[in-house]
Amino acid sequence: MENLDVQNHLVKSLEEIRELVGSPHEAVVKKSIAMIDEQAKSYIEKSSMMFVASSNERGQCDVSPRGDAPGFVYVANAKQLVIPDRPGNKRVDTLSNILNNPHVGLLFIIPGMEEVLRVNGRAVVIKEHPVLENLKFKDKAPALGIVVDVEECFIHCPRALKHSGIWEHDSWLPKDRRPSSMDIFHAHLKINGYDVK
């Protein structure tokens, strides 16, 4: 399969984008705040799903899903959040990225709600800090946590989730038509020469 030839179709300036898209309404610009206010805190405390976007020192990006009981992300104060690092597959993509590039983007979701909360900031990885006691799961505090210093926070319009119909059960594919995660996993191992037995 050949790569797309896009060289004669590249957008090379923000001015070109603005010509096609237009400018945002003043309210859309001013909805962004540099803190976690009570409204944002309430949203985060009800969220059971979030995504962490990070990138390494070369700018290679990664987005990692994180989910737990509502309120699993701890709002330490108006400027800081703490995300528990629960045991997983041990790839530590997000953690290793943060060590090299502290900039992260967070996307919080409340099931059934079409508006999402976006938070951007700078992160560090911590261990053995008393704040981790606030993030216990089955009476066990995580070994590691991610502290995010909040630089930007805003509510995002419902268009994407509304158009996707993500919360509408009738729009979901039947189980027998959904992709098999195990088939994908094994196919990717095979591409990389790993023998699945």
Side-chain angles (χ1 to χ4, degrees):
M1 183 181 300
E2 293 183 18
N3 287 346
L4 292 173
D5 181 3
V6 298
Q7 288 305 309
N8 293 328
H9 304 273
L10 296 178
V11 175
K12 297 181 179 179
S13 71
L14 180 58
E15 289 74 18
E16 288 182 79
I17 293 174
R18 285 290 176 218
E19 279 181 31
L20 294 167
V21 176
S23 296
H25 188 281
E26 184 179 10
V28 173
V29 175
K30 292 196 172 176
K31 71 177 180 177
S32 174
I33 59 175
M35 61 182 287
I36 301 298
D37 68 342
E38 286 302 315
Q39 296 296 324
K41 180 181 179 187
S42 175
Y43 190 109
I44 292 166
E45 289 174 344
K46 293 173 177 64
S47 175
S48 58
M49 184 77 196
M50 55 95 68
F51 296 84
V52 183
S54 62
S55 65
N56 63 22
E57 67 277 11
R58 296 180 304 281
Q60 295 168 312
C61 297
D62 178 72
V63 179
S64 174
R66 305 290 171 114
D68 214 326
F72 73 99
V73 173
Y74 179 64
V75 180
N77 53 63
K79 295 292 288 185
Q80 292 179 308
L81 304 174
V82 188
I83 305 165
D85 189 66
R86 304 284 187 221
N89 60 17
K90 299 182 174 64
R91 281 182 54 109
V92 300
D93 297 308
T94 301
L95 301 181
S96 61
N97 283 347
I98 289 170
L99 294 178
N100 291 292
N101 178 358
H103 299 282
V104 295
L106 314 178
L107 184 72
F108 290 90
I109 293 175
I110 296 175
M113 187 171 175
E114 292 172 331
E115 294 81 5
V116 299
L117 186 75
R118 291 170 57 178
V119 176
N120 298 312
R122 296 172 66 89
V124 293
V125 180
I126 61 168
K127 65 177 183 178
E128 300 174 353
H129 191 285
V131 75
L132 296 175
E133 292 296 314
N134 296 296
L135 303 168
K136 286 183 177 178
F137 179 71
K138 294 185 178 179
D139 293 324
K140 185 175 181 182
L144 298 167
I146 300 168
V147 177
V148 179
D149 290 331
V150 175
E151 296 175 336
E152 186 176 35
C153 172
F154 59 94
I155 197 78
H156 191 96
C157 76
R159 186 174 295 116
L161 271 63
K162 184 184 291 293
H163 288 183
S164 74
I166 193 165
W167 306 127
E168 298 170 14
H169 292 188
D170 293 344
S171 72
W172 294 2
L173 282 174
K175 284 188 177 180
D176 62 349
R177 291 185 51 213
R178 296 177 196 170
S180 162
S181 59
M182 196 54 67
D183 286 350
I184 295 169
F185 180 57
H186 286 163
H188 290 185
L189 289 176
K190 186 176 179 181
I191 287 170
N192 283 320
Y194 184 91
D195 185 25
V196 180
K197 295 180 182 178

